[in-house]
Amino acid sequence: MAQVSSMWGILNTSPTRHTIAEDVQGIVTGSMVSALGLYLLAKVGLLTGGMAGVAFLLHYASGVSFGLIFFLLNLPFYILSLRRVGIDFTLKTFAAIALTSLIVEFEGRLIGISTIDPIWGAILGGLLLGYGVLALYRHRASLGGIGILAVYLQERFGVRAGLVQLAFDLTVMVFAFAVVSPAVVICSVVGAVVLNLFVAINHRSDRYVVLR
């Protein structure tokens, strides 16, 4: 009984190892919270950074499903993940991206929000994404793309993952001026800054290290 409980994380006494069940719940809940953050941003027509930001740009410009674009954009980054980070991280990240993409597609059928202030939507969306990404990071997963590169750079060179993403996100916002209005870009920058500062402050490889 003790072995079964430990496997499911109930009696797990190791401070540096997650059980399979702990990883599953971390990836599922991280994906759910991330999808909710993306839904709020999309509800007010905003963007974010990383591959999600690029997916938003293509979605707004073409009308193609955000979830589908987001899933496809991340496919090339699995090669980097396999070569540099490992198969465990790659499989978890694939699962997180697939689940997040799927939930985003159905979120509108499960939640109805009539009005939300763009700035407030940017802040809430950024924070929710931050919590989701942090949960995934702590279970050795990410939302792919730049997240994969950011985790690799942090583990290899000690560069904060949040700061790597922030630099890329600001680049995405510059290109956003060609697709959306300046007001939308400004609100989106607020959300991206909230997201990445939250991750930069709360995620450090030397403070929280988990292996399996």
Side-chain angles (χ1 to χ4, degrees), residues 25-43 48-49 52 56 66 70 93 95-105 107 111 121-122 124-137 141-144 165 195 198-199:
Q25 67 82 28
I27 291 171
V28 170
T29 55
S31 299
M32 291 176 64
V33 174
S34 296
L36 180 57
L38 291 171
Y39 171 77
L40 287 179
L41 293 175
K43 192 66 179 179
T48 186
F56 269 128
F66 168 83
F70 181 57
T93 295
I97 292 171
L99 185 57
T100 300
S101 300
L102 183 63
I103 294 174
V104 167
E105 288 303 299
E107 198 83 66
I111 299 176
L124 285 180
L127 282 175
L128 286 168
L129 270 174
Y131 274 102
V133 167
L134 186 62
L136 295 175
Y137 279 179
S142 79
L143 284 183
Q165 291 198 166
L195 160 63
F198 179 86
V199 174

Side-chain angles (χ1 to χ4, degrees), residues 29-158:
T29 55
S31 299
M32 291 176 64
V33 174
S34 296
L36 180 57
L38 291 171
Y39 171 77
L40 287 179
L41 293 175
K43 192 66 179 179
V44 288
L46 301 182
L47 304 147
T48 186
M51 287 298 104
V54 178
F56 269 128
L57 286 176
L58 295 177
H59 167 65
Y60 293 146
S62 66
V64 177
S65 163
F66 168 83
L68 177 61
I69 296 175
F70 181 57
F71 179 78
L72 294 177
L73 281 176
N74 281 291
L75 292 179
F77 286 90
Y78 295 128
I79 298 175
L80 170 64
S81 180
L82 279 172
R83 292 180 176 178
R84 299 295 185 180
V85 188
I87 189 170
D88 183 63
F89 178 87
T90 303
L91 291 176
K92 290 178 183 178
T93 295
F94 180 85
I97 292 171
L99 185 57
T100 300
S101 300
L102 183 63
I103 294 174
V104 167
E105 288 303 299
F106 290 95
E107 198 83 66
R109 304 179 187 180
L110 304 174
I111 299 176
I113 299 178
S114 58
T115 60
I116 182 171
D117 181 80
I119 290 293
W120 191 237
I123 294 173
L124 285 180
L127 282 175
L128 286 168
L129 270 174
Y131 274 102
V133 167
L134 186 62
L136 295 175
Y137 279 179
R138 290 187 169 182
H139 289 270
R140 297 247 337 133
S142 79
L143 284 183
I146 299 304
I148 294 174
L149 178 61
V151 169
Y152 166 70
L153 291 176
Q154 174 164 294
E155 295 189 350
R156 180 68 176 81
F157 301 105

